[in-house]
């Protein structure tokens, strides 16, 4: 199978390279200048331009009831000029003459110029020719009158020598050659441009196809990664729970008394086990998030009570680091309808994060207050949690990145602060699953240290999130 021709190799036609309206205007100007008809045919004999000569003799013959067989019909002349070869002058029945010239480009025939009809001599021989064609259906007197009228009309046509007609035809042909050359150059330029665009489009299409394939592969890999994390995390929890349980029994003396050194070792095992369990739980949470669904069990509860429980639970950790942890709950707070476990996880992650990045002697303050949240252009009551610390702070250019999974601002192997980088990502997904917002900002005064995490939760989840407010119900947010 032969390869298709490129745009630059495809043959061109006269209509491709010359605007037909512009060619019509040029031919009309030449026709008026020379006082004759002018036509342009393409290589197949199709008429592109026709500026007819308004001769009385043509109108007279055209009005005759037996005009059809007349060989000087322009349509028949056009049909007979579609053959290659030298162009010759054609004389019509009534004695008018046409000059024909080839229109070429680089030796390839594109069309023909037809100059005429014009009168090049007297009217000799007209009577016998007309006699053959038009005598049928006329009386002798009618026929004589018709022939005399044709002769009179012919004599009114300005005579032109063959040499002058051919000179005019040659001059028009040269002008058309310039127009053709210019049009071909413009056509070639446009085809090169189109071919370049087509090549670029084909290349872009191929790149998009490869990119789409890569995206699909990455999606599959991401699903595989999430499935792997969920499976591994689940399998790790079972033995780890046993390690923690046996460590607690050893500390309680169920297997006998331990000396101080032994108790210290077991306490270290228990602490590290708890820390590892926390990491595994975070990985399980993020794998659920990345799977595309977050399940919410909605119920009304007092967010202030949950905040106090979180702060009281983390108080020993704060005291061990020499930090001040305090909370402030505004009076008459409305009850929040949300997932109690995930809301507690949001507060726990944010306060733990603040304690981790605040140095000894610093402060962590948690505020709870009411406000209005804009959801889809509609204001709805909300509860706002602010977790403020005096820690190391977050550079402004990094604040949009800190909610990405597995991200640590200090990713070096010798970093001072440990962790998986999942806590804030889980916070963001859980908050947005409730229809809320979370962001980080600097303390007032433009301080370079310290941060304030702001969480806004609607008092009642939006309709698309809330399935029911009965305890134990479950809704899925995608």
């Amino acid at each position: 199978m032969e390869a298709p021709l490129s745009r630059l190799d495809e043959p061109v036609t006269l209509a491709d390279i010359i605007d037909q309206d512009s060619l019509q205007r040029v031919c009309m100007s030449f026709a008026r200048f020379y006082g004759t008809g002018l036509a342009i045919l393409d290589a197949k004999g199709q008429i592109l331009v026709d500026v007819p000569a308004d001769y009385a003799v043509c109108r007279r013959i055209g009005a005759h009831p037996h005009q059809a067989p007349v060989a000087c019909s322009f349509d028949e002349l056009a049909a007979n000029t579609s053959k290659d070869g030298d162009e010759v002058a054609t004389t019509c029945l009534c004695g008018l003459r046409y000059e024909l010239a080839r229109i070429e480009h680089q030796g390839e025939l594109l069309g023909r110029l037809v100059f005429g009809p014009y009168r090049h001599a007297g009217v000799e021989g007209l009577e016998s020719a007309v006699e053959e064609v038009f005598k049928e259906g006329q009386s002798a007197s009618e026929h004589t009158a018709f022939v005399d009228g044709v002769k009179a009309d012919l004599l009114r046509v300005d005579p032109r020598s063959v040499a002058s007609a051919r000179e005019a035809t040659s001059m028009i042909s040269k002008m058309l050659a310039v127009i053709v050359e210019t049009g071909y150059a413009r056509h070639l330029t446009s085809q090169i441009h189109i071919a370049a665009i087509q090549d670029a489009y084909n290349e872009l299409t191929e790149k998009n196809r490869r990119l789409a394939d890569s995206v699909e592969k990455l999606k599959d890999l991401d699903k595989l990664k999430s499935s792997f994390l969920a499976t591994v995390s689940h399998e790790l929890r079972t033995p780890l729970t046993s390690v923690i349980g046996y460590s607690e029994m050893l500390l309680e003396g169920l297997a006998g008394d331990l000396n101080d050194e032994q108790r210290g070792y077991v306490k270290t095992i228990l602490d590290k086990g708890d820390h590892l369990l926390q990491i595994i739980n975070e990985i399980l949470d993020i794998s659920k998030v990345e799977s595309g669904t977050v399940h919410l069990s909605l119920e009304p509860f007092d967010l202030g009570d949950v905040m106090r429980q979180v702060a009281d639970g983390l108080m020993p950790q704060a005291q061990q680091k020499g930090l001040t942890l305090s909370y402030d709950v505004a009076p008459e707070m409305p009850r929040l309808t949300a997932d109690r476990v995930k809301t507690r996880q949001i507060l726990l992650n944010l306060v733990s994060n603040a304690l981790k990045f605040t140095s000894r002697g610093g402060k962590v303050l948690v505020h709870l207050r009411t406000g209005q949240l804009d959801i889809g252009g509609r204001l709805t009551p909300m509860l706002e949690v602010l977790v403020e610390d005096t820690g190391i702070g977050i550079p402004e250019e990094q604040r949009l990145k800190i909610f990405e999974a597995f991200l640590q601002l200090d990713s070096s192997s010798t970093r001072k602060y440990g962790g998986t980088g999942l806590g804030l990502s889980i916070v963001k997904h859980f908050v947005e699953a409730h229809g809320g917002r979370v962001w980080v900002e600097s303390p007032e005064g433009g301080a370079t240290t310290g941060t304030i995490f702001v969480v806004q939760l609607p008092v009642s989840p939006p309709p698309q999130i809330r399935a029911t407010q009965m305890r134990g119900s479950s809704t899925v947010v995608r």
Side-chain angles (χ1 to χ4, degrees):
M1 183 177 179
E2 295 182 0
L5 294 175
S6 70
R7 284 185 169 273
L8 300 181
D9 296 328
E10 291 177 355
V12 297
T13 65
L14 200 58
D16 290 333
I17 61 178
I18 301 181
D19 177 68
Q20 203 161 335
D21 291 337
S22 300
L23 188 61
Q24 176 81 20
R25 289 194 293 269
V26 170
C27 290
M28 289 179 64
S29 299
F30 278 121
R32 284 196 297 267
F33 180 77
Y34 288 107
T36 186
L38 208 62
I40 302 292
L41 314 177
D42 66 13
K44 295 182 179 180
Q46 299 296 317
I47 301 172
L48 299 181
V49 173
D50 182 16
V51 185
D54 188 19
Y55 293 154
V57 64
C58 297
R59 293 196 300 273
R60 184 185 297 273
I61 292 176
H64 193 276
H66 294 283
Q67 183 266 345
V70 178
C72 64
S73 165
F74 180 73
D75 291 339
E76 188 169 346
L77 175 66
N80 291 330
T81 56
S82 60
K83 301 176 181 178
D84 291 336
D86 295 335
E87 306 302 340
V88 295
T90 301
T91 304
C92 66
L93 179 71
C94 60
L96 296 180
R97 181 183 175 94
Y98 294 92
E99 297 291 338
L100 283 75
R102 294 167 63 90
I103 301 175
E104 299 178 335
H105 179 72
Q106 296 180 353
E108 181 180 355
L109 178 67
L110 297 181
R112 289 174 172 83
L113 165 67
V114 180
F115 180 90
Y118 68 95
R119 182 165 71 90
H120 70 288
V123 292
E124 295 83 359
L126 172 67
E127 184 174 358
S128 60
V130 173
E131 183 75 22
E132 286 294 323
V133 178
F134 295 105
K135 66 182 179 180
E136 184 178 348
Q138 288 182 322
S139 64
S141 60
E142 289 175 335
H143 183 62
T144 300
F146 175 76
V147 172
D148 290 343
V150 169
K151 289 180 179 180
D153 290 340
L154 279 172
L155 291 174
R156 293 190 187 96
V157 177
D158 292 336
R160 183 188 301 275
S161 68
V162 173
S164 66
R166 290 180 175 174
E167 181 181 356
T169 304
S170 175
M171 182 176 298
I172 299 173
S173 296
K174 291 177 181 178
M175 181 64 69
L176 288 176
V178 174
I179 296 175
V180 166
E181 186 68 30
T182 304
Y184 181 80
R186 185 177 64 251
H187 173 78
L188 184 61
T189 301
S190 66
Q191 293 305 301
I192 291 174
H193 182 63
I194 293 173
I197 292 176
Q198 185 65 48
D199 289 343
Y201 173 78
N202 292 339
E203 183 180 355
L204 181 60
T205 301
E206 177 61 21
K207 287 182 177 179
N208 284 339
R209 185 192 64 78
R210 293 200 300 266
L211 181 60
D213 291 342
S214 299
V215 169
E216 289 302 317
K217 291 178 181 178
L218 287 174
K219 286 181 179 179
D220 292 339
L221 289 174
D222 190 59
K223 291 178 181 177
L224 182 62
K225 180 205 71 176
S226 298
S227 177
F228 173 77
L229 288 176
T231 302
V232 171
S233 300
H234 179 73
E235 294 301 322
L236 287 175
R237 289 181 68 178
T238 302
L240 185 58
T241 302
S242 298
V243 171
I244 294 173
Y246 280 109
S247 298
E248 289 176 342
M249 286 189 291
L250 287 173
L251 285 176
E252 291 173 1
L254 297 181
D257 294 334
L258 301 177
N259 59 39
D260 292 342
E261 185 176 2
Q262 290 171 335
R263 291 182 65 83
Y265 290 156
V266 175
K267 182 67 167 60
T268 300
I269 293 172
L270 181 59
D271 291 342
K272 298 303 180 183
D274 285 336
H275 182 231
L276 184 56
L277 183 60
Q278 180 184 354
I279 293 175
I280 292 173
N281 288 334
E282 287 181 347
I283 294 175
L284 278 173
D285 287 337
I286 203 66
S287 65
K288 291 177 182 178
V289 166
E290 291 184 346
S291 68
T293 60
V294 176
H295 299 271
L296 300 180
S297 295
L298 301 177
E299 60 174 304
F301 60 91
D302 189 335
L303 183 58
D305 288 342
V306 174
M307 193 178 77
R308 281 187 285 268
Q309 293 170 11
V310 169
D312 292 343
L314 292 175
M315 195 66 71
Q317 180 181 337
Q319 293 173 351
Q320 186 178 3
K321 286 191 66 175
L323 302 176
T324 300
L325 173 59
S326 59
Y327 53 84
D328 175 29
V329 180
E332 299 182 1
M333 301 294 292
R335 290 169 69 81
L336 177 69
T337 299
D339 186 307
R340 186 186 187 100
V341 175
K342 289 180 174 56
T343 304
R344 182 181 182 280
Q345 187 70 34
I346 291 169
L347 297 176
L348 183 63
N349 286 5
L350 288 177
V351 178
S352 298
N353 189 74
L355 294 175
K356 179 194 298 186
F357 293 101
T358 302
S359 302
R360 180 174 293 275
K363 297 179 181 180
V364 176
L365 300 93
V366 186
H367 306 277
L368 178 59
R369 60 194 184 191
T370 59
Q372 296 286 323
L373 179 62
D374 186 349
I375 300 180
R378 213 174 142 190
L379 293 178
T380 183
M382 71 160 182
L383 293 180
E384 185 176 64
V385 179
L386 293 90
V387 180
E388 182 177 358
D389 64 62
T390 58
I392 60 175
I394 302 173
E396 187 172 353
E397 64 274 10
Q398 298 286 350
R399 291 179 185 172
L400 294 178
K401 299 180 181 179
I402 61 172
F403 294 104
E404 297 177 8
F406 300 102
L407 177 71
Q408 288 276 8
L409 297 185
D410 179 7
S411 58
S412 65
S413 59
T414 59
R415 64 177 183 262
K416 179 179 179 182
Y417 304 98
T420 60
L422 296 175
L424 293 180
S425 179
I426 293 172
V427 167
K428 183 175 186 295
H429 282 93
F430 284 180
V431 170
E432 292 179 350
H434 286 85
R437 297 189 304 161
V438 59
W439 70 90
V440 63
E441 57 188 37
S442 299
E444 294 183 4
T448 57
T449 59
T451 54
I452 301 176
F453 281 88
V454 183
V455 174
Q456 294 180 339
L457 295 171
V459 171
S460 295
Q464 64 270 26
I465 294 176
R466 185 180 64 248
T468 175
Q469 295 186 7
M470 296 294 293
R471 180 176 175 80
S473 65
S474 179
T475 179
V476 179
V477 181
R478 294 187 180 273

